[in-house]
Amino acid sequence: DDSDLPPPWTRKLWLVGTALFFLAGLLDIASLVYAPMAVVIVIYALRLPLVALLAAWLLNIRLLRLTTIGIAFCGAGTGLSLVFAPSISTTVIRHPSEFWSSEIWIYVGVSIIA
């Protein structure tokens, strides 16, 4: 019965989890500033599926078939986005319209479809 448990904020594990959550937020901000955007996007796309897999492993639970299929689609979509990502360019963009090259349109299209 859950009524016998103390409030979550009085439990050590809850406090540790909350502190790690805030630390992760700071690291997210740092990644957006310092890491290449292609790397950050891949990590963000795979974060929730990875959490689901780790939770299933650590909590010793079985994932539903639909969940497993969703995780596989996330992985495949991320892989396709990486394959079709534009190569690194040293071109300086002087106007926002210059950003939308044919490579970018292909990348965005494949990412949306995936």
Side-chain angles (χ1 to χ4, degrees):
D1 187 16
D2 287 342
S3 62
D4 297 336
L5 291 174
W9 55 88
T10 62
R11 295 183 233 157
K12 289 180 184 176
L13 187 59
W14 185 88
L15 293 172
V16 169
T18 302
L20 288 174
F21 178 78
F22 283 112
L23 177 64
L26 295 174
L27 293 175
D28 280 349
I29 292 168
S31 72
L32 292 170
V33 172
Y34 296 110
M37 197 49 61
V39 173
V40 173
I41 290 171
V42 170
I43 292 170
Y44 278 27
L46 293 177
R47 182 180 3 197
L48 290 177
L50 181 61
V51 167
L53 292 174
L54 285 173
W57 176 61
L58 291 173
L59 300 174
N60 198 24
I61 59 173
R62 188 168 180 267
L63 293 175
L64 298 174
R65 180 174 300 181
L66 192 57
T67 303
T68 306
I69 291 169
I71 290 171
F73 274 118
C74 284
T78 302
L80 283 172
S81 292
L82 284 175
V83 168
F84 288 96
S87 61
I88 296 175
S89 173
T90 57
T91 305
V92 176
I93 297 175
R94 290 177 175 73
H95 190 271
S97 65
E98 295 175 3
F99 175 77
W100 296 102
S101 64
S102 60
E103 292 88 3
I104 294 293
W105 280 113
I106 292 171
Y107 175 72
V108 170
V110 169
S111 295
I112 289 171
I113 292 169

